[in-house]
Amino acid sequence: MDCLFCKIIAGEIPSSKVYEDDMCLAFNDIAPQAPTHILFIPKVHIGSCGEVTPDNSKYVSHIFEKISEVAAQKGLTDGFRVVSNCGVSAGQTVPHLHFHVMAGREFTWPAG
Ligand code: AMP
Ligand code: ZN
């Protein structure tokens, strides 16, 4: 499959790894929108939040456990934002489920 994040998982495209296990990979975003900007992705191809099912939701819960752990390890005690864009009109540019974890600056709400 011609998927950028599947290629990163396969090691065909390099990434700045933050965390990895058998179910997920976390790496620094190439175009960070905050001082800390990490992407968490499942190691199976799921297109977006819109393709989460009872069969694959274990990847999502696992990723959220790891977001919590990595946030604690990195000392993100002032807070952090988790975002997943689902679909082109929501701003999704890579069609492989990913969670942006951003920290280190003030965030506005609602997001634009
Ligand atoms: P989204 O626009 O929500 O689909 O998020 C995709 C994210 O992937 C963007 O924030 C990009 O900066 C990031 N990105 C694209 N290519 C790479 C890459 N090779 N390594 C790390 N992050 C990337
Ligand atoms: Zn993929």
Side-chain angles (χ1 to χ4, degrees), residues 4-5 8 13-16 27-33 37 39 83-87 90-100 102:
L4 175 65
F5 287 174
I8 286 178
I13 293 174
S15 67
S16 170
F27 53 97
N28 290 309
D29 197 293
I30 204 168
Q33 302 300 308
H37 188 167
L39 299 174
V83 172
S84 188
N85 300 319
C86 178
Q92 186 177 11
T93 59
V94 179
H96 181 125
L97 177 64
H98 51 282
F99 297 94
H100 300 258
M102 294 171 285

Side-chain angles (χ1 to χ4, degrees), residues 64-75:
F64 273 82
E65 288 177 26
K66 298 306 166 186
I67 288 174
S68 177
E69 289 180 16
V70 169
Q73 283 165 7
K74 292 200 166 288

Side-chain angles (χ1 to χ4, degrees), residues 1 3 5-6 45 96:
M1 190 188 298
C3 170
F5 287 174
C6 282
H45 184 86
H96 181 125

Side-chain angles (χ1 to χ4, degrees), residues 19 21 23-26 39-44 46 56-70 82 96-101:
Y19 175 80
D21 62 27
M23 292 179 77
C24 74
L25 174 66
L39 299 174
F40 284 74
I41 66 174
K43 282 195 171 176
V44 294
I46 301 169
N56 63 26
S57 62
K58 64 188 177 201
Y59 288 92
V60 177
S61 58
H62 181 79
I63 282 171
F64 273 82
E65 288 177 26
K66 298 306 166 186
I67 288 174
S68 177
E69 289 180 16
V70 169
V82 183
H96 181 125
L97 177 64
H98 51 282
F99 297 94
H100 300 258
V101 175

